[in-house]
């Protein structure tokens, strides 16, 4: 039996980042992965969707040229070549992780981990023991119980990126972040897309002002959005709602994710009240001593970067360096369509509920010179602050490179800076970032 | 263009000087090399001479002013010339003059700070909070990166300021306690030492039969349909409830003794000793006597979680009237907790023990909870302390009373 200081199960963003940290702290480390290194994020999530969405950007630049004095024609969309490029990006990043593992002496084990007892696991007939075990087994697409679904060939995010030919008509059940990003990408390639959402609106977790801009954009592109849909049945080639039939060539089911709880259950770890997530303490330790869990498994913002941040903290706690847990208010939540959306922290409503004397200011990109030049004036910067210290409680950006821009505000917040520091920083002119400063200056005017 | 007369730098260590005397007035003509002023530094006095011939057009430092070395104290120019008047040959004088004049003020403050040591790193929020709370940041130990003072440092410092225990310590010893330690460690060291130096601590130990309590828990759990999400039936919550009830029955124990004053407190505020990343803090559940089991369970979870996450409100780090400290998770049975002064009692909780007992001639399994009560013998004697512990035991052994 091989023994390691830290045995990590799952090589997604939670596991592989934690592995590197553990190795650098001098631990002997092994990572077990049943699928591909990089987890869902790298293989069937964040990265492949961004590879596709890059084409949307390029294609919308072509449209912009045509509308603004330069005529260009798109002659052919060679989808197999798009898929090949996506695969190449994935393998580049995978080999990057393998290199990191090699450089840090991290033992990588391919295969399904089965719990034997205590902190002993078996992979391909070989046993492994971890003095400390870190579970980062993530999740898988959740498939709702829809009549007829199991009889047809549908896609999930696990299979979507294997699709080699562009469908003419794509129906997507689920209007969350994943559903919307893929709808946007596929519409850019020319596919007819319908989003079917059972909730009262798409993107319910997103700031309402941002949501309405996104929704308008999707609709202006010709994406059909059906909300409060009641899916009666699915059959080959169509989704039957209570009042209409949505035809499709391919159907994508993107209705959220469920946690991979097989190993935590086998180990008898305590779960939360709803039996959905693994219960951990402030240092990410589960109910079993020296067994830790991070990422999708423990809930919260189930995003790649949250998992990585948690993994690092768990490993530090294992090494006797206890840190405060990742704050849910410090996790940026991006949506990568055009305009991009990103937000972090408290909403205005949440801040009021917490008793802050709230100040909210919102400025549109249509006031910003650089955004006007770039023809990207949809969107805004919104900062949620308060009167006492002008603390940065939250922010929402919709607009050019919002997912990157938001870090300017977040970094100031993390350094315990306030709106004052944003307002007093000299921003280069003309930049889209200036709108952040403009918004901060507006807040400074409140007394 | 105007020429500056500068505060000299006499030797490597001189950073500033004081203008002692002016030999000239504005408007006087001077020759290069004429003495115009006398200045003093920490070590010596010296004359300042005019760097070139001309008219003294402006004196910017008055007698008694402290001016950084290399900063201007006066300007020489042509009669009637303004310091700021732009000259075509060099566009610099105006901005330069304005700049140096403006630089004067901050430079002065900086030199003042230097007397007290090095530059203080502090986050903007912490600085605002310190200002609002009237905290002198030179006294706060920073625990952030680079020794930076963070929000949490201010909150914890505020708690130590508010703690009445601080006044109680002789000031001389306060300096030596915690010497060589930093941040929270230092605060803990000081508090512990003050506690043992100023109280007469005795600890009573006993076990309490909680077999019935565990049955009571299981029974309620099986009968309540919604999941119990507030820890209302955790041992810690039930025990805290028993302690709160016993404290209401024993006002002498729910009290503060400091500065020669013994105060029985009407409200019960329970301190819950909580291990955090860099030490131990005692977040407070205020008005625990007004809470139902689910409120109490939720409040305990909230304050201890927030203390560990560093998000606890500063006002909740102090003000408890009685403290509970639990080492049951570490398989400890008994220990001798140290009073969280100015409180007069603290209860230590150990790990539940399985024991065999004879009941009607039958051997049965009993669950026993070891408790350690430390009290200040200045205030409470052994027998009343034992009675208090007995009351806690009564509530735990007759658990339905916890619901009343």
């Amino acid at each position: 039996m091989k023994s390691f200081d830290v045995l990590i199960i799952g090589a997604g963003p939670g596991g592989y980042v934690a592995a590197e940290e553990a190795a650098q702290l001098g631990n002997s480390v092994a990572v077990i992965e049943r699928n591909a290194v990089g987890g869902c994020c790298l293989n069937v999530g964040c990265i492949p969707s961004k590879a596709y969405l890059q084409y949307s950007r390029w294609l919308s630049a072509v449209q912009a040229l045509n509308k603004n004095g330069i005529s260009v024609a798109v002659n052919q969309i060679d989808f197999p070549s798009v898929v090949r490029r996506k695969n190449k990006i994935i393998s580049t990043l995978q080999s990057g992780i393998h290199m990191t593992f090699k450089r840090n002496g991290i033992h990588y084990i391919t295969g399904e981990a089965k719990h034997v007892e205590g902190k002993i696991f078996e992979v391909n007939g070989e046993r492994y023991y971890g003095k400390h075990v870190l579970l980062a087994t993530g999740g898988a697409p959740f498939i709702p119980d829809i009549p007829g679904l199991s009889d047809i060939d549908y896609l999930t995010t696990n299979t979507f990126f294997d699709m080699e030919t562009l469908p003419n008509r794509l129906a997507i059940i689920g209007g969350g972040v994943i559903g919307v990003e893929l709808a946007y990408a596929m519409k850019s390639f020319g596919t007819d897309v319908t989003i079917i959402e059972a909730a009262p609106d798409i993107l319910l977790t997103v700031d309402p002002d941002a949501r309405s801009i996104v929704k308008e954009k999707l609709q202006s592109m010709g994406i059909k959005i059906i909300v409060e849909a009641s899916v009666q049945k699915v059959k080959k080639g169509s989704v039957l709602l209570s009042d209409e039939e949505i035809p499709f060539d391919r159907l994508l089911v993107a209705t959220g994710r469920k946690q991979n709880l097989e190993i935590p259950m086998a180990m008898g770890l305590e779960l939360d009240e709803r039996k959905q997530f693994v219960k951990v303490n402030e240092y990410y330790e589960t109910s079993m001593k020296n067994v830790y869990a991070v990422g999708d498994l423990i809930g919260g913002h189930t995003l790649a970067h949250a998992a990585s941040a948690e993994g690092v903290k768990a490993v530090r706690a294992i090494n006797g360096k206890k840190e405060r847990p990742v704050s849910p208010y410090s996790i940026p939540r991006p949506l990568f369509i055009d305009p991009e959306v990103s937000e972090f922290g408290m909403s205005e409503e949440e801040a009021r509920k917490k008793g802050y004397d709230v100040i909210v200011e919102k400025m549109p990109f249509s006031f910003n010179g650089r955004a006007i030049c770039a023809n990207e004036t949809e969107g805004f910067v919104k900062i949620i602050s308060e009167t006492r210290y002008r603390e940065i409680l939250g922010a929402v950006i919709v607009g050019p490179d919002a997912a990157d821009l938001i870090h300017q505000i977040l970094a100031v917040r993390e350094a315990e800076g306030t709106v004052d520091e944003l307002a007093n920083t000299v921003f280069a002119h003309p930049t889209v970032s200036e709108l952040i400063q403009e918004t901060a200056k507006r807040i400074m005017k409140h007394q | 263009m105007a020429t500056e007369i500068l505060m000299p730098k006499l030797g490597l260590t001189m950073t500033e000087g004081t203008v002692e005397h002016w030999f000239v007035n504005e408007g006087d003509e001077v020759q290069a090399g004429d003495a115009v002023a006398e200045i003093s530094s920490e070590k010596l006095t010296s004359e300042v001479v005019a760097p070139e011939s001309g008219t003294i057009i402006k004196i910017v430092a008055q007698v008694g002013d402290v001016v950084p070395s290399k900063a201007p104290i006066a300007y020489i120019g042509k009669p009637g010339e303004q310091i700021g008047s732009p000259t075509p040959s060099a566009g610099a004088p105006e901005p330069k003059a304005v700049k140096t004049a403006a630089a004067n003020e901050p430079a002065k403050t900086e030199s003042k700070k230097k007397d007290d040591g090095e530059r203080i790193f502090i986050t903007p929020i912490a600085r605002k909070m310190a200002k609002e709370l009237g905290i002198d940041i030179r006294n706060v130990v920073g625990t952030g990166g680079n020794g930076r003072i963070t929000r949490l440092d201010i909150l914890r410092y505020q708690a130590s300021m508010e703690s009445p225990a601080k006044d109680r310590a002789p000031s001389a010893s306060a300096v030596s306690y915690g010497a060589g330690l930093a941040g929270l460690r230092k605060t803990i060291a000081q508090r512990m030492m003050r506690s043992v130096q100023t109280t007469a601590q005795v600890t009573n130990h006993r076990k309490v039969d909680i077999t019935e309590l565990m049955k009571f828990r299981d029974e309620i759990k099986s009968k309540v349909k919604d999941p119990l999400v507030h820890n209302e039936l955790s041992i810690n919550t039930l025990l805290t409830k028993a302690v709160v009830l016993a404290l209401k029955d024993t006002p002498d124990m729910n009290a503060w003794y400091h500065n020669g004053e013994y105060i029985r407190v009407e409200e019960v505020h329970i301190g819950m000793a909580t291990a955090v990343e860099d030490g131990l803090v005692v977040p407070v559940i205020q008005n625990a006597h007004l809470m139902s089991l689910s409120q109490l369970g939720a409040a305990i979870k909230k304050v201890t979680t927030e203390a560990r996450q560093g998000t606890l409100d500063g006002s909740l780090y102090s003000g408890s009237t009685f403290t509970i400290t639990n080492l049951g998770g570490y398989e400890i049975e008994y220990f001798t907790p140290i009073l969280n002064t100015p409180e007069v009692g603290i209860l230590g909780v150990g790990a539940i023990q399985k024991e065999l007992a004879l009941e009607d001639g039958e051997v049965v399994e009993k669950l026993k909870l070891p408790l350690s009560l430390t009290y200040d013998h200045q205030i409470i004697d052994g027998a009343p302390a034992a009675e208090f512990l007995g009351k806690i035991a009564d509530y735990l052994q007759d658990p339905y009373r916890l619901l009343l």
Side-chain angles (χ1 to χ4, degrees), chain A residues 308-319:
Chain A
S308 301
E310 291 159 2
V312 167
K313 284 184 184 283
V315 163
R316 290 186 183 157
I318 286 170
N319 283 277

Side-chain angles (χ1 to χ4, degrees), chain B residues 125-141:
Chain B
I125 284 189
R127 187 183 292 280
K128 285 180 177 177
M129 291 172 71
K131 196 176 166 198
E132 185 187 77
L133 296 163
I135 291 173
D136 184 345
I137 58 170
R138 287 175 300 190
N139 299 333
V140 182
V141 181

Side-chain angles (χ1 to χ4, degrees), chain A residues 63-380:
Chain A
Q63 281 183 7
L65 284 175
N66 280 319
K67 275 188 203 152
N68 293 284
I70 296 179
S71 72
V72 189
V74 176
N75 296 320
Q76 190 208 345
I77 291 178
D78 174 7
F79 194 63
S81 143
V82 171
V83 177
R84 276 197 302 278
R85 176 171 181 272
K86 179 264 300 177
N87 291 339
K88 201 170 159 225
I89 292 168
I90 292 173
S91 64
T92 303
L93 291 170
Q94 281 177 338
S95 58
I97 298 172
H98 283 302
M99 283 290 286
T100 304
F101 280 4
K102 211 171 165 186
R103 211 172 37 238
N104 288 284
I106 296 164
H107 199 79
Y108 182 67
I109 304 155
T110 310
E112 176 106 35
K114 285 200 184 67
H115 181 241
V116 179
E117 59 169 334
K119 290 174 284 170
I120 301 172
F121 296 84
E122 193 175 288
V123 187
N124 305 328
E126 179 116 29
R127 288 192 173 191
Y128 299 91
Y129 167 79
K131 278 183 209 153
H132 303 90
V133 173
L134 177 64
L135 301 177
T137 56
F142 166 74
I143 307 300
D145 192 12
I146 298 172
L149 188 59
S150 56
D151 304 330
I152 65 156
D153 181 24
Y154 62 91
L155 300 164
T156 67
T157 47
N158 278 354
T159 51
F160 179 84
F161 295 101
D162 296 336
M163 190 168 58
E164 288 274 352
T165 46
L166 269 182
N168 289 323
R169 292 169 303 182
L170 173 71
I172 301 176
I173 300 182
V177 169
I178 298 171
V180 166
E181 282 189 1
L182 295 181
Y184 185 92
M186 297 313 282
K187 181 69 196 177
S188 307
F189 287 129
T191 297
D192 272 338
V193 181
T194 306
I195 298 175
I196 302 163
E197 171 61 62
D201 207 347
I202 59 164
L203 297 174
L204 275 185
T205 56
V206 173
D207 174 85
D209 294 334
R211 190 194 309 153
S212 68
I213 291 180
V214 169
K215 204 173 163 186
E216 204 171 293
K217 177 66 186 264
L218 296 176
Q219 282 167 335
S220 76
M221 294 169 78
I223 293 174
K224 187 171 177 185
I225 300 173
I226 302 165
V227 296
E228 293 185 300
S230 152
V231 179
Q232 304 292 313
K233 197 183 154 194
V234 172
K235 60 176 192 181
K236 195 167 189 303
S238 70
V239 178
L240 294 167
L241 305 181
S242 49
D243 49 359
E244 65 177 311
E245 186 170 348
I246 309 295
F248 62 78
D249 302 316
R250 301 307 301 258
L251 171 68
L252 169 65
V253 178
T255 46
R257 297 176 66 79
K258 67 174 191 322
Q259 281 51 45
N260 288 329
L261 291 173
E262 303 89 339
I263 291 174
M265 303 267 262
M267 295 175 78
L269 301 183
E270 214 175 300
L271 304 181
D272 71 339
E273 290 78 15
R274 294 202 183 112
K275 308 283 171 222
Q276 196 178 357
F277 302 112
V278 175
K279 208 168 164 181
V280 291
N281 66 14
E282 281 76 15
Y283 310 112
Y284 303 101
E285 193 172 15
T286 66
S287 57
M288 190 186 285
K289 205 163 166 49
N290 294 325
V291 176
Y292 292 72
V294 298
D296 284 13
L297 267 191
I298 62 165
H301 293 308
T302 49
L303 296 166
H305 42 283
S308 301
E310 291 159 2
V312 167
K313 284 184 184 283
V315 163
R316 290 186 183 157
I318 286 170
N319 283 277
K321 298 179 182 177
K322 286 183 174 178
E323 290 183 359
R324 290 192 291 275
V326 177
S327 162
Y329 298 126
S330 304
I331 305 290
R333 309 189 299 274
L335 170 70
F336 293 90
I337 64 158
D338 181 14
E340 281 184 359
V341 178
S342 195
E343 54 189 318
F344 71 82
M346 291 179 209
S347 66
E348 180 177 352
E349 192 190 351
E350 210 177 343
R352 280 190 213 289
K353 265 192 205 150
K354 285 197 167 265
Y356 288 101
D357 185 11
V358 177
I359 310 173
V360 178
E361 281 293 352
K362 186 177 129 188
M363 298 275 286
F365 274 105
S366 53
F367 285 20
N368 178 277
R370 186 70 194 282
I372 294 168
C373 293
N375 196 31
E376 294 182 271
T377 53
E378 293 163 298
F380 59 82

